[in-house]
């Protein structure tokens, strides 16, 4: 199917009443979850994941994708109003966004510019995705076990290197995730592994329970122990929302640059939405007209990053849909939702399941328009959600999480998994470990094993097979390069810090 | 977290030997726990066939991953002991710590009670208890909140979207 033809077909699928409703529920829940303290798009997608198992697969993926980009937007709202980023991609919005809302008193117009910027960026990104995905899927048809093994293992290793923190901060949770992924019957010979005689464990651990525990409940524990400290936002009225002519004028270029930066980052492994928002902020602080106002409430510092994190969230769907490769934990949830429905994402998806492939892409376009409609007139509603006291919010989220964890398969073991994951998540985060690699390891680990074993079968045990194709060799080379570059950069920054510390001591 | 925020956090931290000690103990503890998990994991995988390179069995991948995790855990222990970046672990203290421990313990007890008492009894109990511990509201308000919220959750999930909820043992 040609790209334009595919998109038109996708639009037909996306405007079917059930899918339209799924998109609406997705973006509305996503915004709400993004706004609520402590919950980001990942926790939101995890909370909803178990409930989508009974839905039609297209509607299920449309809903989870809606939560993903809805959550991105909601997270930025709290950054601007409260200086509390809903998730990492919204951290930069606390810099100039919060300054604009407080010192300059321009909270409304800032949110407006962000909403329009998100929609512009998503639209731009979707247009590129439409043309890019089929090409990538065609390319993916050349992939055999060696290439898939290379791209998945390199993806995970590169991710551990670019996500921040030390290598061990990422490898430790990553391997816990892969370990957890081996529990249950394995895919090739159906042998039971690590079930300790528990029948319920043969089907493996439940991803939803792990993700909700790590990202939802663990955050609720933190919130409960800090209850009463959440600042109260000011009311934002609709009539105060419209940007001035100057604000409009200054936002166009950052939207454009942010969209391009975000789209490119979304295609790469790593926490692309957050990295792209940082990259866009840096870019704007160097090239934009208002660069002198950076840190004091420059509109460019809000418009650029917001556009880029939305563009990245959209283009991140490309590797998931056309290669079956998720590069962030939320995308891993989307991949696993597809697999639960018996759909194998990958190069054959556009031809075998055009409904899902094109329907989901088209729904992102519609979902972003919905987001615009939901966010501008209803901003007051979202802001009011911030006023829900912790002692009511936290217990409700916990109970819904339990309902979700149990409801997916009706195993009590999933509720216990939730409890263990929540405590582990709280402690690991405090100890400086990153949690997202755990989810990626859990989802990708079993796939890596399948490709490894298939590759060995095919090559009759010849290990050279894994480095025999040009694609695999390129991937390994790029990964090694990333390792070296990050290492050199770290040495530089460490030396610089040391020098600064020495100079500071001399000055004293 | 991005590299820049981590660096900022390191620079902003004050000299606090207690917190640094806590960080070291925490990281070493995590690494030791990782080693324990590795041992159990490798012990459990001993019954799985490794197969041969041209026909790998179900035991091959767990062996590789188990060994990798063991090495990583060792790395975490050593990195923790050295703590060259002088990182610190701030855990909640006093009242906050008490609340945190009660909240976690309550959740564990709740998940154990769930198969015995079912959703309709355990959920209102947990909701009311949490409101009491976190919000310090009077008992009748907590009870009302527990019952009303549990009914609302039941209606939305069990009735409207037909999710099956845990039933009490006697049903």
């Amino acid at each position: 199917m040609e790209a334009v033809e595919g998109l038109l077909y996708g639009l037909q699928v996306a405007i079917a009443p059930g899918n339209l409703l799924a998109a609406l529920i997705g973006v509305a829940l996503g915004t709400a979850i993004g706004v609520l303290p402590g919950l980001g798009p990942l926790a939101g997608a995890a909370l909803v994941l178990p409930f989508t198992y009974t839905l039609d697969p297209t509607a299920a993926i449309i809903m989870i994708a809606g939560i993903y980009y809805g959550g991105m937007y909601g997270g930025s709202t709290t950054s601007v109003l409260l200086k509390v980023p809903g998730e990492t991609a919204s951290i930069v919005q606390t810099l100039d966004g919060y300054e604009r809302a407080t010192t300059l008193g321009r909270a409304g117009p800032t949110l407006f510019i962000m909403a329009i910027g998100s929609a512009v960026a998503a639209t731009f990104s979707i247009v590129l995705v439409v043309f890019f995905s089929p090409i990538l899927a065609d390319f993916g048809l050349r992939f055999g076990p060696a290439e898939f093994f290379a791209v998945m293992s390199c993806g995970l290793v590169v991710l551990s290197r670019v996500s921040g923190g030390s290598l061990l901060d990422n490898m430790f949770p990553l391997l816990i995730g892969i370990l957890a992924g081996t529990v249950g019957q394995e895919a090739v010979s159906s042998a039971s592994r690590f079930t300790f005689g528990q029948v319920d464990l043969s089907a493996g651990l439940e991803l939803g329970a792990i993700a909700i525990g790590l990202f939802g409940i663990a955050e609720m524990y933190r919130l409960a122990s800090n209850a009463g400290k959440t600042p109260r936002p000011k009311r934002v009225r609709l009539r105060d929302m419209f940007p001035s002519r100057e604000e409009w004028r200054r936002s166009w270029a950052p939207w454009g640059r942010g969209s391009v930066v975000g789209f490119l980052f979304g295609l790469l492994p790593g926490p692309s939405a957050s990295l792209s928002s940082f990259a866009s902020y840096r870019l704007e602080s160097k090239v934009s007209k208002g660069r002198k106002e950076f840190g004091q409430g420059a509109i460019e510092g809000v418009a650029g990053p917001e556009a880029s994190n939305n563009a990245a969230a959209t283009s991140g769907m490309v590797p998931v849909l056309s290669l079956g490769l998720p590069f962030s934990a939320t995308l891993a949830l989307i991949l696993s939702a597809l697999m639960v429905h018996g759909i194998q994402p990958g190069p054959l998806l556009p031809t075998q399941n055009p409904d899902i492939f094109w329907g989901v892409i088209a729904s992102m376009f519609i979902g972003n328009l919905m987001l615009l409609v939901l966010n501008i007139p209803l901003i007051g509603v979202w802001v009011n959600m911030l006023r829900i006291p912790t002692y009511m919010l936290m217990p409700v989220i916990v109970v819904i999480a339990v309902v979700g964890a149990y409801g997916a398969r009706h195993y009590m073991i999933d509720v216990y998994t939730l409890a263990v994951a929540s405590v582990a998540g709280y402690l690991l985060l405090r100890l400086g470990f990153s949690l997202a690699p755990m989810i990626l390891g859990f989802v990708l680990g079993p796939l890596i094993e399948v490709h490894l074993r298939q590759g060995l079968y095919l090559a009759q045990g010849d290990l050279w097979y894994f480095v025999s194709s040009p694609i695999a060799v390129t991937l390994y080379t790029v990964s090694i390069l990333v390792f070296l570059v990050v290492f050199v950069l770290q040495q530089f920054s460490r030396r610089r810090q040391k020098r600064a510390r020495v100079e500071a001591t001399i000055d004293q | 977290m991005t590299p820049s925020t981590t660096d900022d956090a390191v620079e902003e931290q004050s000299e606090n030997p207690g917190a640094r000690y806590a960080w070291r103990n925490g990281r070493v503890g995590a690494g030791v726990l990782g080693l324990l998990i590795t041992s159990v994991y490798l012990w459990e995988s001993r019954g799985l066939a490794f197969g041969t390179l041209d026909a790998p069995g179900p035991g091959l991948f767990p062996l590789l991953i188990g060994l990798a995790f063991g090495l990583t855990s060792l790395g975490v222990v050593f990195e923790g002991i050295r703590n060259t970046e002088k990182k610190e672990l701030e855990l909640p203290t006093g009242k906050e710590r008490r609340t945190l421990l009660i909240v976690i313990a309550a959740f564990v007890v709740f998940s154990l009670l769930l198969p015995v008492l079912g959703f309709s009894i355990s959920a209102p109990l947990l909701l009311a208890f949490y409101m009491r511990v976190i919000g310090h509201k009077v008992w009748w308000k907590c009870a009302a909140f527990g019952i009303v919220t549990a009914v609302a959750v039941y209606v939305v999930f069990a009735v409207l979207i037909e999710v099956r909820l845990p039933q009490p043992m006697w049903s």
Side-chain angles (χ1 to χ4, degrees):
Chain A
M1 207 181 283
E2 287 300 312
V4 178
E5 202 183 316
L7 183 65
L8 290 176
Y9 174 70
L11 281 170
Q12 268 176 16
V13 175
I15 57 169
N19 294 339
L20 217 48
L21 187 65
L24 182 66
I25 295 176
V27 291
L29 274 179
T31 313
I33 288 169
V35 168
L36 289 174
L39 296 176
L42 180 51
L47 271 171
V48 173
L49 179 71
F51 300 116
T52 62
Y53 291 165
T54 50
L55 291 177
D56 159 70
T58 315
I61 307 304
I62 287 177
M63 193 186 281
I64 300 177
I67 288 179
Y68 183 34
Y69 51 81
M72 290 282 171
Y73 182 78
S76 303
T77 306
T78 50
S79 285
V80 170
L81 295 176
L82 292 175
K83 214 177 183 177
V84 179
E87 25 82 42
T88 44
S90 305
I91 291 174
V92 280
Q93 304 296 20
T94 59
L95 305 172
D96 281 84
Y98 183 67
E99 208 51 42
R100 286 185 58 76
T102 49
T103 321
L104 304 182
R106 301 292 288 168
T110 307
L111 293 173
F112 195 102
I113 289 285
M114 280 165 36
I116 305 274
S118 297
V120 168
T123 312
F124 168 86
S125 200
I126 287 164
V127 171
L128 289 186
V129 165
V130 166
F131 290 99
F132 204 75
S133 292
I135 300 173
L136 197 63
D138 276 346
F139 177 65
L141 285 174
R142 288 188 239 161
F143 277 34
E147 287 79 9
F148 273 116
F149 178 78
V151 78
M152 285 180 185
S153 47
C154 290
L156 286 182
V157 173
V158 167
L159 191 77
S160 316
R161 217 56 215 106
V162 297
S163 304
S166 75
L167 184 61
L168 290 174
D169 291 344
N170 292 289
M171 288 302 283
F172 189 70
L174 172 70
L175 285 161
I176 296 181
I178 301 183
L179 237 62
T182 57
V183 173
Q185 275 186 347
E186 52 98 25
V188 186
S189 64
S190 304
S192 267
R193 299 189 298 198
F194 313 105
T195 54
F196 299 94
Q198 296 280 324
V199 183
D200 289 355
L201 274 180
S202 333
L205 296 168
E206 166 65 25
L207 172 68
I210 298 179
I212 303 169
L214 287 179
F215 295 95
I217 312 269
E219 197 54 37
M220 290 299 118
Y221 291 157
R222 195 189 58 81
L223 211 60
S225 63
N226 283 326
K229 288 184 182 168
T230 355
R232 289 295 173 101
K234 276 195 194 145
R235 284 186 191 281
V236 180
R237 285 173 307 186
L238 181 60
R239 61 166 174 226
D240 299 333
M241 284 198 71
F242 293 97
S244 68
R245 192 175 284 183
E246 201 202 334
E247 283 167 327
W248 277 111
R249 200 173 44 76
R250 284 174 56 178
S251 300
W252 283 107
W255 284 341
R257 287 189 288 261
S259 305
V260 176
V261 169
F263 178 81
L264 295 176
F265 268 86
L267 299 176
L268 304 173
S272 45
S274 29
L275 288 182
S276 79
S277 64
F278 279 99
S280 161
Y281 186 82
R282 283 205 181 158
L283 179 70
E284 293 307 322
S285 70
K286 297 249 160 48
V287 302
S288 70
K289 281 191 186 136
R291 57 183 177 270
K292 286 188 187 133
E293 292 168 32
F294 265 66
Q296 296 151 22
I299 188 75
E300 291 88 348
V302 182
E306 187 60 25
S308 78
N309 77 29
N310 242 283
T314 311
S315 64
M317 293 293 283
V318 174
V320 178
L321 294 177
S322 38
L323 293 178
L325 289 172
F327 286 146
S328 79
T330 319
L331 294 171
L333 290 183
I334 293 180
L335 177 81
S336 117
L338 282 166
M339 295 194 306
V340 164
H341 287 287
I343 292 151
Q344 188 57 52
L348 294 174
L349 191 69
T351 39
Q352 284 181 344
N353 297 89
D355 284 31
I356 293 186
F357 186 82
W358 292 109
V360 169
I361 292 179
S363 87
M364 293 199 285
F365 180 66
I366 294 174
N368 270 287
L369 292 183
M370 285 179 176
L371 212 52
L372 207 58
V373 177
L374 278 178
N375 274 299
I376 292 172
L378 296 181
I379 186 69
V381 177
W382 306 124
V383 173
N384 275 335
M385 289 194 64
L386 285 165
R387 297 169 188 263
I388 302 174
T390 308
Y391 61 78
M392 292 175 93
L393 176 71
M394 185 268 177
V396 174
I397 300 278
V398 170
V399 168
I400 293 177
V402 171
V403 170
Y406 179 82
R409 308 190 300 187
H410 313 130
Y411 290 159
M412 272 318 292
I413 199 102
D414 294 341
V415 178
Y416 304 143
T417 308
L418 178 75
V420 173
S422 65
V423 178
Y426 180 83
L427 291 174
L428 287 173
L429 200 63
R430 283 281 160 141
L431 285 167
F433 293 106
S434 321
L435 297 179
M438 206 188 287
I439 298 295
L440 280 164
F442 184 79
V443 173
L444 289 183
L447 299 177
I448 292 180
E449 177 177 10
V450 168
H451 291 304
L452 172 72
R453 287 170 68 179
Q454 278 177 353
L456 285 173
Y457 272 121
L458 269 178
Q460 295 176 325
D462 181 10
L463 289 172
W464 284 108
Y465 164 75
F466 287 96
V467 284
S468 60
S469 91
I471 298 175
V473 173
T474 316
L475 287 165
Y476 291 121
T477 320
V478 170
S479 309
I480 294 170
L481 279 178
V482 168
F483 248 77
L484 289 176
V485 169
V486 172
F487 178 75
V488 171
L489 286 179
Q490 274 184 343
Q491 292 301 317
F492 261 116
S493 95
R494 211 169 274 173
R495 207 170 285 174
R496 209 171 39 206
Q497 273 178 13
K498 211 172 179 182
R499 201 180 305 149
R501 229 175 280 151
V502 172
E503 275 167 16
T505 341
I506 294 170
D507 285 349
Q508 279 169 8
Chain B
M1 194 177 271
T2 59
S4 57
T5 49
T6 329
D7 291 345
D8 290 347
V10 172
E11 283 194 0
E12 277 168 23
Q13 280 159 4
S14 57
E15 293 283 321
N16 187 345
R20 207 176 286 169
Y21 191 65
W23 171 274
R24 197 187 71 178
N25 285 352
R27 291 283 284 212
V28 171
V32 170
L33 191 64
L35 286 173
L36 275 175
I37 294 174
T38 307
S39 326
V40 175
Y41 187 80
L42 289 177
W43 176 254
E44 273 295 308
S45 71
R46 76 197 184 284
L48 300 167
F50 297 122
T52 51
L53 267 189
D54 56 342
L60 177 73
F61 190 69
L63 178 72
L64 296 176
I65 291 301
L67 291 176
F69 187 57
L71 282 177
T72 309
S73 305
L74 259 183
V76 171
V77 171
F78 284 118
E79 201 187 48
I81 292 174
R82 286 174 60 210
N83 194 10
T84 41
E85 290 187 32
K86 303 198 168 71
K87 289 192 178 161
E88 297 173 352
L89 171 65
E90 299 282 357
L91 285 172
T93 50
K95 231 176 170 179
E96 285 182 12
R97 180 191 292 175
R98 214 182 117 237
T99 312
L100 177 72
L101 291 176
I102 293 177
V103 164
I104 294 178
F107 187 62
V108 173
V109 172
F110 165 75
S111 50
L112 295 175
L113 281 181
L114 202 54
V116 184
L117 299 178
F119 178 85
S120 40
I121 299 179
S122 350
L125 287 178
L126 182 78
L127 287 159
F129 184 75
Y130 271 171
M131 192 186 216
R132 173 82 186 171
V133 176
I134 305 164
H136 310 288
K137 299 288 160 195
V138 288
W139 272 114
W140 69 267
K141 273 190 188 170
C142 300
F145 169 73
I147 293 167
V148 171
T149 315
V151 170
V153 170
Y154 185 86
V155 170
V156 172
F157 291 97
V159 179
L160 292 180
I161 49 177
E162 297 175 359
V163 174
R164 209 168 91 194
L165 300 175
Q167 298 297 314
M169 240 165 96
W170 54 85
S171 78

